[in-house]
Amino acid sequence: MDTSVDDSRLEYGKMGYGCEHYRRRCRIRAPCCNEIFSCRHCHNESTKDRHELCRQDVKTVICLVCDTEQPVAQVCLNCGVNMGEYFCKLCKFYDDDIEKGLYHCDDCGICRVGGKENFFHCKKCGSCYSVHLRNKHSCVENSMKHHCPICFEYLFDSLRETRVLKCGHTMHSECHDDMIEHEQYTCPICSKSVIDLSRLWRKYDEEIEATLMPEDYRERKVWILCNDCNDTPEAFFHVVGHKCLHCQSYNTRLISPPILPQ
């Protein structure tokens, strides 16, 4: 048997079909509405009632080479082409672009990109993170199973790159960069600083030293909550800002004084 003929048939049409989301040689029939779409994202973006397709529910696909509808499988039962160079029978997922480093994470329950060797699954955070973050990130339970606090897209299975902040919360990388560009330096969820602001705090020190408060305010103290270290110290009142003496941060807010027991 000439395997080269079979191999060439498997490769026929590779990267020549697909949609804006994936390169693949099949379309899927959505069991929820019995309509045909290029992928589940195409389905989710086109439905008027905004119902979403569960990837595992797909039962049949249509080969784009020979137009044969058939049960989910990697190779077309009629014309013999690979409908996806990468195929996951659990996710019913196809993609010809294997340079993405596609892999299935059993703990996430979905396929991911980037190469399995470059990621680990954090049990508490409930998602795959870069190996560079192993033992170097703050765990937040199910931190990825939320919507991006900037654009409100669901993060867990988003196609866009996601960033883990120092506080453990997550958002899209491009949303994070836009936030920094607009000089918003704190997490929208917990208000902790998302980048090193020590240079900015030194400028605040210089400005406070150069800005003398009216005499009636010079000895006035207020209670503050530090968003970065959660300490609640007293600080001298100043219009520029209130410094946490515990961590030197100006990322603070005024709070009511503690109620002393009687």
Side-chain angles (χ1 to χ4, degrees):
M1 181 178 177
D2 188 355
T3 56
S4 63
V5 175
D6 292 338
D7 289 343
S8 64
R9 187 58 188 170
L10 288 172
E11 296 291 316
Y12 180 81
K14 181 179 177 180
M15 298 295 290
Y17 299 85
C19 62
E20 62 178 297
H21 306 106
Y22 305 113
R23 307 311 300 167
R24 52 174 59 169
R25 284 162 277 178
C26 67
R27 303 183 78 194
I28 60 175
R29 184 176 291 279
C32 50
C33 54
N34 202 37
E35 298 290 335
I36 296 173
F37 298 91
S38 294
C39 72
R40 68 181 185 87
H41 294 290
C42 291
H43 166 278
N44 295 345
E45 291 169 3
S46 64
T47 53
K48 293 181 179 179
D49 61 0
R50 302 192 67 81
H51 74 275
E52 295 192 352
L53 171 62
C54 175
R55 70 196 80 200
Q56 289 85 0
D57 290 346
V58 174
K59 298 293 188 296
T60 59
V61 297
I62 299 89
C63 175
L64 285 172
V65 176
C66 69
D67 204 33
T68 301
E69 186 162 355
Q70 57 201 283
V72 171
Q74 184 171 18
V75 178
C76 175
L77 56 78
N78 181 56
C79 68
V81 301
N82 249 346
M83 291 185 284
E85 187 73 12
Y86 174 87
F87 170 68
C88 176
K89 64 180 180 181
L90 298 175
C91 294
K92 318 296 177 62
F93 178 70
Y94 301 79
D95 200 338
D96 274 339
D97 187 5
I98 57 175
E99 291 186 3
K100 295 177 181 176
L102 292 151
Y103 70 97
H104 180 85
C105 174
D106 290 327
D107 290 314
C108 285
I110 61 174
C111 291
R112 296 201 174 279
V113 300
K116 191 171 185 177
E117 69 280 3
N118 298 318
F119 292 85
F120 76 100
H121 185 88
C122 178
K123 298 286 187 181
K124 184 171 183 180
C125 295
S127 187
C128 287
Y129 284 172
S130 168
V131 292
H132 299 299
L133 292 176
R134 192 189 299 272
N135 301 321
K136 294 180 182 177
H137 70 282
S138 299
C139 284
V140 174
E141 191 167 0
N142 292 324
S143 62
M144 288 285 286
K145 295 182 179 179
H146 294 280
H147 295 82
C148 174
I150 303 298
C151 70
F152 304 112
E153 180 185 352
Y154 191 59
L155 290 169
F156 184 70
D157 55 2
S158 173
L159 295 177
R160 296 154 61 194
E161 183 181 344
T162 303
R163 178 168 301 190
V164 183
L165 308 181
K166 292 193 297 182
C167 57
H169 293 117
T170 52
M171 66 172 63
H172 290 118
S173 293
E174 60 184 276
C175 292
H176 170 273
D177 294 342
D178 286 344
M179 187 177 74
I180 299 301
E181 186 177 336
H182 286 84
E183 299 183 352
Q184 299 298 313
Y185 303 128
T186 59
C187 172
I189 298 174
C190 68
S191 297
K192 291 186 183 299
S193 300
V194 297
I195 59 174
D196 181 7
L197 294 173
S198 54
R199 291 178 62 185
L200 180 61
W201 301 155
R202 287 194 291 271
K203 289 183 178 180
Y204 277 24
D205 286 339
E206 294 169 1
E207 190 172 348
I208 286 175
E209 188 175 352
T211 307
L212 188 65
M213 291 291 290
E215 188 172 349
D216 291 346
Y217 289 91
R218 290 176 193 171
E219 299 301 319
R220 180 185 172 188
K221 284 189 172 184
V222 292
W223 288 91
I224 60 173
L225 167 65
C226 177
N227 293 319
D228 287 336
C229 72
N230 295 322
D231 199 10
T232 54
E234 274 190 297
F236 284 105
F237 176 79
H238 201 284
V239 291
V240 173
H242 305 103
K243 184 175 184 177
C244 172
L245 296 180
H246 181 258
C247 70
Q248 313 305 310
S249 170
Y250 279 95
N251 181 16
T252 60
R253 68 183 77 174
L254 294 174
I255 59 172
S256 300
I259 300 176
L260 301 176
Q262 295 181 350

Short mmCIF file of all heavy atoms in Angstrom, two decimals, residues 120-151:
data_model
loop_
_atom_site.label_atom_id
_atom_site.label_comp_id
_atom_site.label_asym_id
_atom_site.label_seq_id
_atom_site.Cartn_x
_atom_site.Cartn_y
_atom_site.Cartn_z
N PHE A 120 1.23 25.30 33.38
CA PHE A 120 0.81 24.37 34.44
C PHE A 120 -0.59 24.77 34.87
O PHE A 120 -1.01 25.92 34.68
CB PHE A 120 1.78 24.42 35.62
CG PHE A 120 1.61 25.65 36.49
CD1 PHE A 120 0.91 25.60 37.69
CD2 PHE A 120 2.16 26.88 36.10
CE1 PHE A 120 0.75 26.73 38.48
CE2 PHE A 120 2.00 28.01 36.89
CZ PHE A 120 1.30 27.94 38.08
N HIS A 121 -1.32 23.82 35.42
CA HIS A 121 -2.68 24.12 35.87
C HIS A 121 -2.65 24.42 37.36
O HIS A 121 -2.25 23.59 38.17
CB HIS A 121 -3.62 22.95 35.60
CG HIS A 121 -5.06 23.27 35.93
ND1 HIS A 121 -5.93 23.84 35.03
CD2 HIS A 121 -5.76 23.12 37.09
CE1 HIS A 121 -7.10 24.01 35.61
NE2 HIS A 121 -7.03 23.60 36.85
N CYS A 122 -3.08 25.63 37.73
CA CYS A 122 -3.19 26.00 39.14
C CYS A 122 -4.56 25.57 39.65
O CYS A 122 -5.58 26.05 39.16
CB CYS A 122 -3.01 27.51 39.31
SG CYS A 122 -3.19 28.07 41.02
N LYS A 123 -4.55 24.67 40.59
CA LYS A 123 -5.81 24.09 41.08
C LYS A 123 -6.70 25.14 41.73
O LYS A 123 -7.92 25.14 41.54
CB LYS A 123 -5.51 22.99 42.11
CG LYS A 123 -4.72 21.81 41.56
CD LYS A 123 -5.58 20.91 40.70
CE LYS A 123 -4.84 19.66 40.30
NZ LYS A 123 -5.66 18.77 39.44
N LYS A 124 -6.10 26.05 42.51
CA LYS A 124 -6.92 27.04 43.21
C LYS A 124 -7.45 28.10 42.25
O LYS A 124 -8.62 28.46 42.29
CB LYS A 124 -6.11 27.71 44.32
CG LYS A 124 -6.96 28.68 45.16
CD LYS A 124 -6.23 29.17 46.39
CE LYS A 124 -7.13 30.07 47.23
NZ LYS A 124 -6.46 30.57 48.45
N CYS A 125 -6.59 28.59 41.36
CA CYS A 125 -7.02 29.61 40.41
C CYS A 125 -7.93 29.02 39.34
O CYS A 125 -8.69 29.75 38.69
CB CYS A 125 -5.81 30.27 39.76
SG CYS A 125 -4.78 31.22 40.92
N GLY A 126 -7.82 27.69 39.15
CA GLY A 126 -8.74 27.01 38.23
C GLY A 126 -8.43 27.21 36.76
O GLY A 126 -9.33 27.15 35.93
N SER A 127 -7.15 27.44 36.42
CA SER A 127 -6.81 27.66 35.02
C SER A 127 -5.33 27.37 34.78
O SER A 127 -4.56 27.18 35.73
CB SER A 127 -7.13 29.11 34.63
OG SER A 127 -6.96 29.30 33.24
N CYS A 128 -4.95 27.34 33.50
CA CYS A 128 -3.56 27.15 33.12
C CYS A 128 -2.83 28.49 33.15
O CYS A 128 -3.30 29.46 32.58
CB CYS A 128 -3.46 26.54 31.73
SG CYS A 128 -3.93 24.80 31.65
N TYR A 129 -1.67 28.50 33.81
CA TYR A 129 -0.82 29.68 33.87
C TYR A 129 0.56 29.35 33.33
O TYR A 129 0.98 28.18 33.34
CB TYR A 129 -0.69 30.18 35.32
CG TYR A 129 -1.88 30.91 35.87
CD1 TYR A 129 -1.94 31.26 37.21
CD2 TYR A 129 -2.95 31.27 35.06
CE1 TYR A 129 -3.03 31.93 37.74
CE2 TYR A 129 -4.04 31.94 35.58
CZ TYR A 129 -4.08 32.28 36.91
OH TYR A 129 -5.15 32.95 37.42
N SER A 130 1.29 30.36 32.91
CA SER A 130 2.67 30.17 32.44
C SER A 130 3.51 29.54 33.55
O SER A 130 3.35 29.85 34.74
CB SER A 130 3.26 31.52 32.04
OG SER A 130 4.66 31.43 31.85
N VAL A 131 4.43 28.67 33.16
CA VAL A 131 5.32 28.02 34.14
C VAL A 131 6.14 29.06 34.90
O VAL A 131 6.61 28.79 36.01
CB VAL A 131 6.24 26.99 33.47
CG1 VAL A 131 5.45 25.80 32.95
CG2 VAL A 131 7.06 27.63 32.34
N HIS A 132 6.32 30.25 34.32
CA HIS A 132 7.06 31.31 35.00
C HIS A 132 6.32 31.81 36.24
O HIS A 132 6.92 32.46 37.10
CB HIS A 132 7.32 32.47 34.05
CG HIS A 132 8.14 32.10 32.84
ND1 HIS A 132 9.42 31.61 32.92
CD2 HIS A 132 7.85 32.12 31.51
CE1 HIS A 132 9.89 31.36 31.71
NE2 HIS A 132 8.94 31.65 30.84
N LEU A 133 5.02 31.52 36.32
CA LEU A 133 4.22 31.96 37.47
C LEU A 133 4.09 30.89 38.54
O LEU A 133 3.46 31.12 39.58
CB LEU A 133 2.82 32.38 37.00
CG LEU A 133 2.74 33.66 36.15
CD1 LEU A 133 1.31 33.89 35.69
CD2 LEU A 133 3.26 34.86 36.92
N ARG A 134 4.68 29.72 38.32
CA ARG A 134 4.58 28.65 39.32
C ARG A 134 5.25 29.11 40.62
O ARG A 134 6.41 29.51 40.64
CB ARG A 134 5.27 27.37 38.82
CG ARG A 134 4.95 26.14 39.67
CD ARG A 134 5.81 24.96 39.29
NE ARG A 134 5.63 24.53 37.92
CZ ARG A 134 4.72 23.64 37.52
NH1 ARG A 134 3.90 23.11 38.41
NH2 ARG A 134 4.63 23.31 36.25
N ASN A 135 4.47 29.07 41.70
CA ASN A 135 4.93 29.52 43.03
C ASN A 135 5.32 30.99 43.06
O ASN A 135 5.99 31.43 43.98
CB ASN A 135 6.11 28.67 43.51
CG ASN A 135 5.78 27.20 43.60
OD1 ASN A 135 4.68 26.82 43.99
ND2 ASN A 135 6.73 26.35 43.22
N LYS A 136 4.88 31.77 42.04
CA LYS A 136 5.25 33.19 41.99
C LYS A 136 4.04 34.08 41.75
O LYS A 136 4.20 35.22 41.29
CB LYS A 136 6.28 33.41 40.88
CG LYS A 136 7.62 32.75 41.12
CD LYS A 136 8.57 33.03 39.97
CE LYS A 136 9.91 32.34 40.18
NZ LYS A 136 10.83 32.56 39.02
N HIS A 137 2.84 33.57 42.01
CA HIS A 137 1.65 34.40 41.82
C HIS A 137 0.73 34.27 43.04
O HIS A 137 0.82 33.31 43.79
CB HIS A 137 0.89 33.99 40.55
CG HIS A 137 0.20 32.66 40.65
ND1 HIS A 137 0.87 31.47 40.53
CD2 HIS A 137 -1.10 32.33 40.86
CE1 HIS A 137 0.02 30.46 40.67
NE2 HIS A 137 -1.18 30.97 40.87
N SER A 138 -0.09 35.28 43.22
CA SER A 138 -1.07 35.24 44.31
C SER A 138 -2.30 34.48 43.82
O SER A 138 -2.92 34.86 42.83
CB SER A 138 -1.47 36.66 44.72
OG SER A 138 -0.35 37.37 45.20
N CYS A 139 -2.64 33.41 44.52
CA CYS A 139 -3.79 32.60 44.11
C CYS A 139 -5.10 33.28 44.50
O CYS A 139 -5.25 33.77 45.62
CB CYS A 139 -3.73 31.21 44.75
SG CYS A 139 -2.52 30.10 43.98
N VAL A 140 -6.00 33.34 43.56
CA VAL A 140 -7.37 33.81 43.80
C VAL A 140 -8.29 32.72 43.26
O VAL A 140 -8.21 32.36 42.09
CB VAL A 140 -7.65 35.15 43.09
CG1 VAL A 140 -9.12 35.52 43.23
CG2 VAL A 140 -6.76 36.25 43.65
N GLU A 141 -9.13 32.19 44.10
CA GLU A 141 -9.96 31.05 43.70
C GLU A 141 -10.77 31.36 42.44
O GLU A 141 -11.49 32.36 42.37
CB GLU A 141 -10.90 30.65 44.85
CG GLU A 141 -11.60 29.33 44.61
CD GLU A 141 -12.28 28.79 45.85
OE1 GLU A 141 -12.19 29.44 46.91
OE2 GLU A 141 -12.89 27.72 45.77
N ASN A 142 -10.60 30.47 41.44
CA ASN A 142 -11.31 30.59 40.15
C ASN A 142 -11.14 31.98 39.52
O ASN A 142 -12.08 32.55 38.96
CB ASN A 142 -12.80 30.28 40.32
CG ASN A 142 -13.04 28.82 40.65
OD1 ASN A 142 -12.33 27.93 40.15
ND2 ASN A 142 -14.00 28.55 41.50
N SER A 143 -9.92 32.49 39.60
CA SER A 143 -9.67 33.86 39.13
C SER A 143 -9.95 34.06 37.65
O SER A 143 -10.26 35.17 37.21
CB SER A 143 -8.22 34.26 39.42
OG SER A 143 -7.32 33.42 38.72
N MET A 144 -9.83 32.98 36.85
CA MET A 144 -10.07 33.12 35.41
C MET A 144 -11.53 32.90 35.04
O MET A 144 -11.94 33.18 33.91
CB MET A 144 -9.20 32.13 34.64
CG MET A 144 -7.73 32.49 34.61
SD MET A 144 -7.39 33.85 33.49
CE MET A 144 -7.55 33.03 31.92
N LYS A 145 -12.33 32.40 35.96
CA LYS A 145 -13.73 32.14 35.65
C LYS A 145 -14.59 33.35 35.99
O LYS A 145 -15.59 33.28 36.69
CB LYS A 145 -14.19 30.88 36.39
CG LYS A 145 -13.46 29.63 35.90
CD LYS A 145 -13.92 28.37 36.58
CE LYS A 145 -13.16 27.16 36.03
NZ LYS A 145 -13.55 25.90 36.69
N HIS A 146 -14.13 34.47 35.47
CA HIS A 146 -14.81 35.75 35.66
C HIS A 146 -14.69 36.55 34.36
O HIS A 146 -13.97 36.17 33.44
CB HIS A 146 -14.17 36.54 36.80
CG HIS A 146 -14.33 35.91 38.15
ND1 HIS A 146 -15.49 36.01 38.88
CD2 HIS A 146 -13.49 35.14 38.88
CE1 HIS A 146 -15.35 35.35 40.02
NE2 HIS A 146 -14.14 34.81 40.04
N HIS A 147 -15.38 37.67 34.30
CA HIS A 147 -15.30 38.54 33.14
C HIS A 147 -14.16 39.54 33.33
O HIS A 147 -13.87 39.96 34.45
CB HIS A 147 -16.61 39.28 32.93
CG HIS A 147 -17.76 38.37 32.59
ND1 HIS A 147 -18.47 37.67 33.55
CD2 HIS A 147 -18.29 38.02 31.40
CE1 HIS A 147 -19.40 36.94 32.97
NE2 HIS A 147 -19.32 37.13 31.66
N CYS A 148 -13.54 39.92 32.23
CA CYS A 148 -12.49 40.94 32.28
C CYS A 148 -13.10 42.21 32.88
O CYS A 148 -14.14 42.68 32.41
CB CYS A 148 -11.96 41.20 30.88
SG CYS A 148 -10.78 42.59 30.79
N PRO A 149 -12.47 42.80 33.91
CA PRO A 149 -13.05 43.99 34.54
C PRO A 149 -13.03 45.23 33.66
O PRO A 149 -13.64 46.24 34.02
CB PRO A 149 -12.17 44.17 35.79
CG PRO A 149 -10.87 43.53 35.43
CD PRO A 149 -11.22 42.37 34.56
N ILE A 150 -12.36 45.16 32.51
CA ILE A 150 -12.31 46.31 31.61
C ILE A 150 -13.33 46.17 30.47
O ILE A 150 -14.17 47.03 30.25
CB ILE A 150 -10.91 46.50 31.02
CG1 ILE A 150 -9.88 46.67 32.15
CG2 ILE A 150 -10.87 47.70 30.08
CD1 ILE A 150 -10.10 47.88 33.03
N CYS A 151 -13.26 45.04 29.74
CA CYS A 151 -14.14 44.88 28.56
C CYS A 151 -15.32 43.94 28.83
O CYS A 151 -16.21 43.80 28.00
CB CYS A 151 -13.34 44.38 27.37
SG CYS A 151 -12.78 42.66 27.53
#
